[in-house]
Amino acid sequence: MFITFEGGEGSGKTTLIAALRSYLEEMNLSVVTTREPGGSRIAEKIRKVILDIENTDMTPRTEALLYAASRVQHLDEVVIPALNANQVVLCDRYLDSSLAYQGYARGLGFESVLKINTYALDYLPNLTFYIDLDPNIGLERIKNRSQNRLDKEQLAFHLKVREGYLKLAELYKDRISVINGNQPIEDIIKEVLAKIKEVI
């Protein structure tokens, strides 16, 4: 299974994925956890370019293409081999991030972003969990961590990202489950785990 986790900054995806990995391994499943952008050596190098706070002059199209390049490398090196080995892949962000951030919030449009991610469309997740959280709360949660280029965007941008995710959840109802990110993390884990068990 290929399961992806989406959400704005500070939505708790990293904590959620770590907890789910433990639960799934207790069920004797082989689990791979990974992230985008990044997840493999070259993809991580591309991640550094994308998120570097000095690259404020990066255009939306360049940003979208770099995410797509990182994604292809990550798929070839990590995701596809794991799926071929019958492992469960838990991925922190995937194609929906590009659609919400570059397609919607940057104004490139869903179609344009899908077009440059054609390769990734052959490997759509079985399940996607969108952790829906008010960007005001999410940004407050991350204010003391090291900030990257996207963290430093204005609140208006993060509100657009959330809007984009909610539109995607409507478009892909069969795949994307919207989870209330205002709940305690324990409740989020239970809700997500119940859905995964149901599908497994």
Side-chain angles (χ1 to χ4, degrees), residues 51 63 67 101 106 148-153 157-158:
L51 299 179
E63 187 178 78
Y67 273 110
Y101 280 77
R106 297 282 194 222
N148 65 45
R149 190 171 62 85
L150 290 179
D151 295 336
K152 288 179 173 289
E153 286 284 354
F157 174 78
H158 294 287

Side-chain angles (χ1 to χ4, degrees), residues 89-177:
V89 177
L90 305 179
C91 189
D92 185 343
R93 299 195 181 282
Y94 187 59
L95 179 59
D96 295 305
S97 276
S98 288
L99 293 170
Y101 280 77
Q102 286 76 51
Y104 194 80
R106 297 282 194 222
L108 295 180
F110 290 157
E111 283 304 313
S112 297
V113 172
L114 285 170
K115 204 175 284 182
I116 63 170
N117 279 277
T118 306
Y119 183 72
L121 298 180
D122 290 335
Y123 300 94
L124 286 176
N126 302 99
L127 273 177
T128 297
F129 294 98
Y130 166 56
I131 314 304
D132 183 36
L133 183 69
D134 180 339
N136 286 286
I137 297 169
L139 293 172
E140 181 64 25
R141 285 181 183 175
I142 65 161
K143 70 177 183 183
N144 294 321
R145 81 176 187 193
S146 176
Q147 303 276 297
N148 65 45
R149 190 171 62 85
L150 290 179
D151 295 336
K152 288 179 173 289
E153 286 284 354
Q154 297 295 312
L155 176 62
F157 174 78
H158 294 287
L159 289 169
K160 287 282 282 183
V161 168
R162 184 187 186 200
E163 215 175 285
Y165 272 128
L166 292 172
K167 284 185 183 294
L168 289 169
E170 277 295 308
L171 284 171
Y172 303 109
K173 282 180 185 169
D174 294 344
R175 176 173 62 81
I176 301 177
S177 294

